[in-house]
């Protein structure tokens, strides 16, 4: 059996240099007073349906900024910074109150209006655009709109020559060790009381400012108040291979769910409530800390693409926005993720079991709510183990990988990223979640809204003050105009009635590989 170092050595320099990454960052547009901006997606940003770098996530008020695929951490962050610059300049150019909108710097939302007032994303009148809006309507019926306003940053990562088995091996280890990322990078220990209005929770009040928190919390976004649902809790999805994973997802996408059948596809007035009455409407509704992904063809279902052509990259989905960073994340964090993901790929990865899957859910919720609590224990193989001790074990194993990457690329940046993580784990008061609570208490009268509003305003100014050339402005303005033309072309080409389109899109046959469909025919 090869050691981890031997497996690392066998990858070779060329494959390691072929590592690729990209970022997708969600942010709410907020008003200067810290409340949700209810204005439509700004026209100057182009079409949310077709723009390659600027779209919306759940709400018209929730931007999603997307990079391309990058060979280096530096170029990836540089592009995300540039997209932020154009976005903020476009918001400023709106003038009036809209011109003062900011990008909310926290994963947990700003001051929210009533649930039904949160505006759903709109994507025009094509079938694909309408389907995206109907899907969001369904999410609102199923989970409430407030839950969908949580924002995060996703890291897409690939390495040449990794097959399906390798990626699923990585995913299993990632899920086992995800508690470490929640502890090190969680930055959402507090929230505004408007987020949980009418819901049961275990949060404690912080001062008298409408702020709620968990004293040792790391990432409320990834805990019981975040992307959770009783329906999805019934899914014990296995990551032991593509076939089993695909079968689990297929079942969830085709299994009728009584509560959603009660909601129905359409209301009595004929408006759409949701795309389907199954446990999941579409693949993206499945919430997980990490996903196997594949670039899809136009109109193709993601599950079909995976079954047909295999896993192309993985998407890390548990990273909070860091309100102390202008674009929500920094280079040291990305380098740590690169080392961490290589460790997940190269380490032994036994098959998961239903018992382990339950343990991992327990560990995630416990770390999210109490990850900085002194002496906190998690479950591993049926036994209790100290979070800090387990985390240090993993960090020890990361060190040779960091050394190897530094030898390949020069410098000491990977080694420094791992050393910084070790120092933070040993001094929990220096973790982002602790810093958020300390700043909120000490500088903002224990007001979460005031802390994030101040950070958002400072970040807005910092990014607006960066150099911005006429060439950059012209390039992004052209991209926005082109996206609007692309949306119009899609709408002009549509001829199928939406209900026929919807039925065809959600049909089980669209989930299957071509070979299976051909045999059935």
């Amino acid at each position: 059996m090869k050691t981890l170092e031997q497996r690392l050595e066998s990858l070779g320099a060329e494959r390691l240099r072929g590592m690729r990454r990209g970022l997708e960052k969600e942010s709410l547009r907020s008003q200067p007073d810290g409340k949700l901006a209810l204005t439509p997606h700004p026209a100057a940003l182009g079409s949310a349906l077709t723009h390659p770098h600027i779209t919306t996530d759940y709400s018209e008020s929730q931007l999603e900024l997307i990079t391309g695929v990058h060979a280096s951490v530096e170029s990836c962050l540089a592009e995300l910074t540039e997209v932020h610059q154009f976005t903020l300049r476009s918001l400023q150019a709106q003038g009036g109150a809209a011109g003062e909108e900011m990008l909310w710097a926290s994963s947990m939302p700003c001051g929210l209006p009533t649930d039904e007032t949160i505006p759903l994303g709109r994507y025009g009148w094509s079938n694909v655009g309408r389907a995206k809006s109907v899907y969001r309507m369904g999410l609102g019926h199923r989970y409430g709109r407030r839950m969908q306003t949580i924002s995060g940053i996703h890291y897409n990562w690939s390495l040449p020559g990794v097959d399906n088995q390798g990626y699923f091996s990585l995913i299993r280890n990632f899920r086992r060790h995800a508690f470490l990322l929640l502890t090190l990078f969680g930055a959402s220990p507090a929230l505004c009381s408007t987020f949980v209005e009418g819901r049961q929770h275990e949060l404690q009040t912080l001062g008298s400012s409408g702020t709620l928190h968990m004293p040792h919390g790391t990432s409320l976004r990834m805990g019981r108040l975040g992307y959770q649902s009783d329906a999805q809790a019934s899914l014990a999805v296995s990551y032991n291979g593509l076939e089993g994973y695909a079968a689990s997802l297929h079942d969830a996408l085709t299994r009728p769910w009584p509560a959603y059948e009660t909601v129905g596809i359409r209301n009595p007035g004929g408006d759409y409530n949701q795309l389907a009455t199954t446990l999941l409407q579409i693949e993206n509704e499945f919430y997980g800390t990490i996903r196997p992904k594949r670039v899809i063809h136009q109109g193709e279902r993601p599950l079909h693409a995976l079954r047909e052509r295999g896993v192309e990259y993985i998407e890390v989905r548990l990273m909070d926005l860091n309100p102390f960073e202008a674009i929500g994340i920094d280079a040291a964090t990305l380098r740590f993720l690169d080392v961490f993901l290589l460790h997940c790929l190269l380490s032994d990865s036994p098959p998961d079991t239903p018992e382990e899957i339950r343990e991992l859910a327990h560990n995630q919720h416990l770390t999210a709510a109490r990850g900085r609590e002194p002496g906190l224990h998690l479950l591993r193989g049926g036994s209790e183990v100290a979070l800090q001790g387990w985390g240090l074990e993993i960090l020890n194993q990361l060190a040779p990988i960091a050394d190897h990457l530094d030898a390949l690329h020069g410098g000491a940046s990977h080694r420094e990223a791992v050393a910084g993580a070790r120092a933070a784990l040993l001094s929990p008061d220096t973790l982002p979640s602790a810093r958020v609570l300390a700043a909120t208490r000490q500088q903002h009268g224990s007001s979460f809204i005031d802390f994030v509003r101040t950070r958002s305003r400072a970040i807005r100014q910092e990014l607006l003050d960066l150099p911005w050339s006429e060439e950059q402005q012209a390039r992004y303005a052209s991209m926005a105009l082109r996206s609007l033309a692309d949306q119009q072309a899609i709408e002009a080409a549509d001829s199928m009635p939406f209900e026929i389109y919807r039925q065809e899109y959600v049909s089980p046959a669209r989930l299957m590989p071509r070979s299976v469909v051909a045999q059935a025919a």
Side-chain angles (χ1 to χ4, degrees), residues 313-327:
Y313 63 97
I314 55 94
E315 179 188 43
V316 173
R317 299 172 50 79
L318 52 57
M319 303 300 289
D320 282 355
L321 304 184
N322 184 340
F324 301 105
E325 296 295 334
I327 58 172

Side-chain angles (χ1 to χ4, degrees), residues 1 10 52 67 129 135-136 138 157 171 174 179 204 215 261 267 272 317 338 353-354 363 373 384 403 441 453 503 507:
M1 185 72 72
S10 68
T67 73
Y135 165 61
R136 283 154 175 77
W157 186 91
I171 287 169
F174 180 93
F179 75 90
Q204 300 177 22
E261 289 184 309
N267 64 27
Y272 283 88
R317 299 172 50 79
D338 287 345
T353 63
N363 289 348
E373 185 178 294
E384 289 201 348
D403 289 343
R441 281 194 185 99
R453 181 176 59 192
Q503 290 178 23
S507 68

Side-chain angles (χ1 to χ4, degrees), residues 37-219:
L38 301 178
T39 48
H41 184 66
L45 297 177
S47 164
L49 180 68
T50 54
H51 198 294
H53 298 294
I54 305 171
T55 182
T56 53
D57 193 70
Y58 176 74
S59 170
E60 277 292 275
S61 311
Q62 189 176 37
L63 288 165
E64 184 171 357
L65 309 182
I66 305 163
T67 73
V69 181
H70 290 268
S72 75
V73 164
E74 292 81 4
S75 65
C76 187
L77 292 173
E79 183 177 35
L80 187 58
T81 301
E82 197 175 66
V83 178
H84 274 79
Q85 288 178 267
F86 175 74
T87 299
L88 284 166
R89 285 172 174 274
S90 298
L91 293 178
Q92 187 182 47
Q94 293 180 113
E100 296 182 27
E101 289 178 4
M102 309 179 294
L103 299 184
W104 194 244
S106 172
S107 280
M108 298 312 288
C110 51
L112 296 176
T114 56
D115 204 69
E116 64 275 7
T117 312
I118 297 169
L120 302 179
R122 299 293 177 191
Y123 304 91
W125 297 107
S126 65
N127 284 329
V128 64
R130 287 186 67 190
K132 286 170 77 72
S133 292
V134 172
Y135 165 61
R136 283 154 175 77
M137 179 67 78
L139 293 177
H141 283 297
R142 292 167 176 230
Y143 315 109
R145 296 189 184 188
R146 284 194 181 98
M147 191 179 91
Q148 307 299 321
T149 61
I150 296 172
S151 297
I153 192 158
H154 300 164
Y155 192 47
N156 299 315
W157 186 91
S158 68
L159 189 74
V162 180
D163 59 12
N164 292 333
Q165 184 179 345
Y167 277 123
F168 275 95
S169 176
L170 181 161
I171 287 169
R172 290 194 300 278
N173 278 335
F174 180 93
R175 284 164 47 79
R176 289 174 178 124
H177 298 157
F179 75 90
L180 181 58
L181 298 182
L182 292 177
T183 304
L184 291 174
F185 304 113
S188 55
L191 50 78
C192 175
S193 58
T194 58
F195 179 74
V196 292
E197 214 165 81
R199 293 176 65 184
Q200 285 192 322
H201 60 79
E202 299 176 349
L203 300 171
Q204 300 177 22
T205 57
L206 188 69
S208 57
S209 57
T211 296
L212 300 169
H213 79 302
M214 292 296 278
H216 298 104
T218 60
S219 177

Side-chain angles (χ1 to χ4, degrees), residues 282-340:
I282 61 174
E283 293 88 332
N284 283 357
E285 190 175 338
F286 177 53
Y287 304 132
T289 55
I290 185 170
R291 281 180 186 163
K293 297 285 290 242
R294 174 105 223 162
V295 174
I296 60 173
H297 301 322
Q298 188 173 353
E300 184 181 29
R301 292 293 296 266
L303 181 53
H304 176 271
L306 280 176
R307 282 171 155 167
E308 197 73 37
R309 302 186 298 284
V311 183
E312 187 176 7
Y313 63 97
I314 55 94
E315 179 188 43
V316 173
R317 299 172 50 79
L318 52 57
M319 303 300 289
D320 282 355
L321 304 184
N322 184 340
F324 301 105
E325 296 295 334
I327 58 172
I329 200 163
D330 65 357
T333 303
L334 294 194
R335 291 198 178 92
F336 184 90
L337 284 173
D338 287 345
V339 175
F340 183 85

Side-chain angles (χ1 to χ4, degrees), residues 406-481:
D406 283 339
L408 181 69
H409 296 292
S413 56
H414 296 89
R415 198 175 306 130
E416 289 165 359
V418 174
R422 172 187 290 278
L425 187 63
L426 290 170
S427 303
D429 287 350
T430 66
L431 292 167
S433 53
R435 292 177 61 204
V436 166
L437 287 180
T440 300
R441 281 194 185 99
Q442 296 163 16
Q443 300 161 33
H444 300 280
S446 294
S447 169
F448 166 79
I449 290 292
D450 191 56
F451 162 67
V452 186
R453 181 176 59 192
T454 302
R455 288 299 309 139
S456 303
R457 188 186 302 125
I459 286 168
R460 174 181 183 269
Q461 198 56 52
E462 179 183 338
L463 290 167
L464 285 172
D465 287 345
L466 289 176
W468 185 252
S469 68
E470 290 183 8
E471 185 276 328
Q472 285 173 301
Q473 180 64 31
R475 181 158 49 88
Y476 276 89
S478 172
M479 213 183 299
L481 288 172

Side-chain angles (χ1 to χ4, degrees), residues 126-127 487-496:
S126 65
N127 284 329
Q487 177 181 322
Q488 290 175 347
I490 291 170
E491 290 170 347
D494 262 3
S495 57
M496 182 183 291

